[in-house]
Amino acid sequence: MEHIRTPKVENVRLLERSCGQRKPSVGTLYLSATHTIFVENNPETRKETWVPHSMVSGVERLPPSPTGSQLILRCKDFRVILVLIPQERDCVDIHASLARLSRPEKYSELYCLSFNPNVNKEQREESWAFVDLAADYRRMGVPNNLWVTTAANSEYRVCDTYPSELFVPKSATPAVIVGSSRFRSRGRFPVLSYFHQDTLAAVCRCSQPLSGFSGRCQEDEMMLQAVMKSNPGSDYIYVVDTRPKLNAMANRAAGKGYENEDHYTNIKLQFIGIENIHVMRSSQQKIVDVGEMRSPSMTDFLFGLENSGWLKHIKAILDAGVFIARAVADEGISVLVHCSDGWDRTAQACSVASLLLDPYYRTIRGLMVLIERDWVSFGHKFSHRYAHLDGDPKEVSPVLDQFLECAWQLSEQFPCAFEFNERFLIAVHSHIYSCQYGTFLGNCEKERRDLRLREHSHSVWPQLWKERSQFTNPLYQTDLSPSQGVLRPNTSPYCFKLWKGLYNHTEKSMPPRQSPADFLSTVREESKQLEEELTNQQEVPPGGTAHHHHNHQPGSRQATHSPDGETNHVGEGGGSTEEEED
C-alpha cells in the first residue's frame, strides 16, 4: 500500500476502447494493493471494472487538455483502457502509483500471495493434487520395460530446471545420464515427454549439445543410442532442432550448436525454423498495433497482418508438431526435440505434437495435464516470459500464447475433436498473466518449491474445472473414428486465421444475444431429453403398453419419427442454455 499515492479519485471518465465502447462511463477510480477498480456512478448498473495490476503492460500519461488529464492503460490481454482524470495532480499520482504497482520487484508483492479464497488447508493441498502427472504417464503405460524413472535428478542435483521425477531409457545408466547432462546446455539431458503405446515410439526433449565445431561426448552419444533402443521397431531416431539452421550454426561459435551426424550414427537431423523469442515478441507487438489502428482500410489491415509475420510463426510451430506426430504415429520412429535451452520452442513443439497424437489432450482436463507437464514441470520460464516481476524486457515473449493459438487454429480445422472451446483457451491465457493463482509463477519446479507456493497460494486448475460448463464445446464428439485419433491438419498458409477472439475484444462487447455455442448446447440438451423420453416409451412394463401419452407445452420441441428411424425436431427451442454438470 505504500506505493499508492492517491487511493480514490471521483468524477473519472473511463473508455474501454478495445471493447468498442464509444461513450465514456463516469464514476470513481480506486487503487488497491492488487487492482485498479472503476465503479460507475449510474445507480441502475453500478458496473465495476477490475484490472489486476499484474495485467497492466504499460501506463502512458498524455499531455493535459481542458477537459482533464488522460491515462492509457495497455493490458497483457490486449485490452486498452482510457482514463480521463479531472485534476492533473491526481493523474500524476495515479500514473506514478500504477507504474510502480504494475512492476512488482519481488514475488511477495504478487496477487496470488495475498489472494485468499474461502478454502481450508486441506482443500488448498487438494487443489495442487488436481493434476497428477504420474497418473498421466501411467495412462501412457509408463514405466515399462523400455522407459523407467530415474533418481538422478532427485533434489534437482543434475539439472535444477528439470522436475525431480523423470523418465529415461531403461538402458541409460546413471553415469550416462550425468555425462550427457554435462554436454547439454543448462544440464537439460534427453528425457521422455510422451510415449505412444501403439507404435512404442517416444517424444523426448533436451537442450542443444555443447559441441562447438568439433566437440563430442561419449556419454551423450550413448544416451541417444539408448533412446533409439527404447523403440524396438527402429534403428534410428529423428533429432528435431526447432531453430532455423543459421541460428544453430551461429551457436557453434559460442561452443554450443547441434548434433554432428558423423558422431551420432543413429540419428537423422531435421531443422524446423521457429524463430527466437525476440522475433516473436516483436511480431506480436505488430499484431497488437494492427488491432489499435483507427478505421483501417482493408489494404492497411492486410499489410499490417502480413508485415507482422505472426501467422507465419504459428504455421512454423504447427509444422514442427506435425513432423513429430507423423514420425511417431505413421513411421513409428522416436523423436528427440531441442532448441537452445529446451524450454521455449521445445515446449511448443512437444505439446503441439501431443495434441495431434492423443485425443486425451484435446479434453479440458487433458489440456490442463499437458500444460502442467510440458510447460510448468519442465521449466518454462513463466516469470521471465510473462513479466510477472520487473526485469529484463528482452526476456519477455509470448511463447505459451503461441501454443494456445496453435490449439485454437486446430480447433477451427477440427471443430468436433476438442472438448474445450475458445473461452477456455482465453481463460488460460488470462491466468498466465494475472498472477491470481500460483500455478504459472516461477521459472521452474525447484524455484516454486523454494518459494513454498503450495503453502501460500492456490492452483488455478480446480477453479477452471469448476467452471467447465462455460468452456465445453457443444460439437465435441468422443466417439471419433480411428482416423481422427491422430489429427492431420492442413498447414497451407490459407488455413490460418487471425484469432479475433483473443486480439479483438470488440466482438465480446456486442449486444447480448444467444451465441451459436449456447444455441448448440441447448439443442444438445434437448436431444438428450428426447432420447431419454424415447427410451422410456420403448421400455414396456409387464402387461403394460409401450404407448405412453405425453403432453407437450406450447413452444416446446416435439419429435416426429420418419420411416428410416431418424428424429425430426418440430417447433422452436425452449430449453435452458445452461448445461447440467455430470
Side-chain angles (χ1 to χ4, degrees), residues 497-513:
K497 307 174 184 178
L498 177 65
W499 189 2
K500 291 186 291 186
L502 183 65
Y503 293 106
N504 186 355
H505 288 261
T506 308
E507 298 204 338
K508 297 175 190 172
S509 63
M510 298 299 280
R513 62 180 178 84

Side-chain angles (χ1 to χ4, degrees), residues 447-504:
E447 188 176 356
R448 283 185 281 276
R449 187 197 66 172
D450 294 346
L451 289 167
R452 295 163 68 190
L453 283 178
R454 293 195 170 207
E455 297 172 37
H456 299 126
S457 68
H458 304 264
S459 169
V460 71
W461 301 128
Q463 183 59 37
L464 291 175
W465 182 249
K466 200 183 295 181
E467 299 168 0
R468 65 188 179 279
S469 60
Q470 300 176 42
F471 303 138
T472 302
N473 169 21
L475 294 176
Y476 177 59
Q477 295 176 9
T478 49
D479 53 344
L480 291 171
S481 61
S483 62
Q484 277 202 279
V486 177
L487 297 186
R488 303 172 196 280
N490 184 343
T491 61
S492 301
Y494 71 85
C495 295
F496 292 84
K497 307 174 184 178
L498 177 65
W499 189 2
K500 291 186 291 186
L502 183 65
Y503 293 106
N504 186 355

Side-chain angles (χ1 to χ4, degrees), residues 418-439:
F418 291 82
E419 183 188 27
F420 52 82
N421 59 20
E422 177 185 51
R423 288 178 189 170
F424 182 61
L425 297 172
I426 292 173
V428 172
H429 179 271
S430 294
H431 282 297
I432 291 164
Y433 290 97
S434 73
C435 300
Q436 182 178 348
Y437 295 86
T439 307

Side-chain angles (χ1 to χ4, degrees), residues 266-285:
N266 59 332
I267 71 167
K268 289 188 178 181
L269 189 60
Q270 180 78 25
F271 290 95
I272 297 289
I274 303 171
E275 297 290 352
N276 64 31
I277 60 170
H278 313 295
V279 172
M280 300 307 191
R281 180 177 60 250
S282 170
S283 177
Q284 190 185 57
Q285 185 55 52

Side-chain angles (χ1 to χ4, degrees), residues 46-155:
R46 296 288 288 174
K47 182 186 170 190
E48 297 182 1
T49 301
W50 291 61
V51 181
H53 299 321
S54 49
M55 288 296 276
V56 177
S57 59
V59 190
E60 182 184 352
R61 184 163 65 92
L62 301 181
S65 69
T67 53
S69 298
Q70 197 174 81
L71 289 179
I72 301 178
L73 273 63
R74 289 188 169 82
C75 301
K76 296 173 184 175
D77 60 356
F78 312 113
R79 285 186 294 167
V80 179
I81 300 171
L82 276 61
V83 180
L84 188 67
I85 299 171
Q87 299 296 323
E88 187 182 0
R89 179 187 233 171
D90 289 336
C91 187
V92 169
D93 285 349
I94 295 290
H95 177 259
S97 299
L98 281 177
R100 173 62 184 85
L101 290 166
S102 63
R103 299 271 185 280
E105 294 173 354
K106 47 186 186 289
Y107 285 113
S108 59
E109 296 177 33
L110 293 174
Y111 181 22
C112 67
L113 297 175
S114 61
F115 174 64
N116 192 22
N118 187 25
V119 294
N120 58 32
K121 181 185 174 186
E122 288 74 25
Q123 287 173 307
R124 189 189 69 241
E125 289 172 355
E126 281 176 21
S127 82
W128 286 106
F130 184 79
V131 169
D132 184 351
L133 294 184
D136 189 48
Y137 281 110
R138 287 194 297 273
R139 185 188 64 82
M140 297 180 210
V142 176
N144 53 37
N145 62 345
L146 303 172
W147 293 92
V148 296
T149 55
T150 176
N153 206 43
S154 61
E155 292 304 309

Side-chain angles (χ1 to χ4, degrees), residues 315-330:
K315 170 177 160 52
I317 296 163
L318 207 49
D319 280 335
V322 167
F323 179 88
I324 297 164
R326 282 180 182 158
V328 169
D330 298 346

Side-chain angles (χ1 to χ4, degrees), residues 185 206-209 241-243 251 338-342 345-346:
S185 178
C206 61
S207 59
Q208 66 184 337
D241 190 326
T242 57
R243 301 168 293 182
N251 277 343
H338 71 73
C339 47
S340 297
D341 292 322
R345 289 170 277 198
T346 300

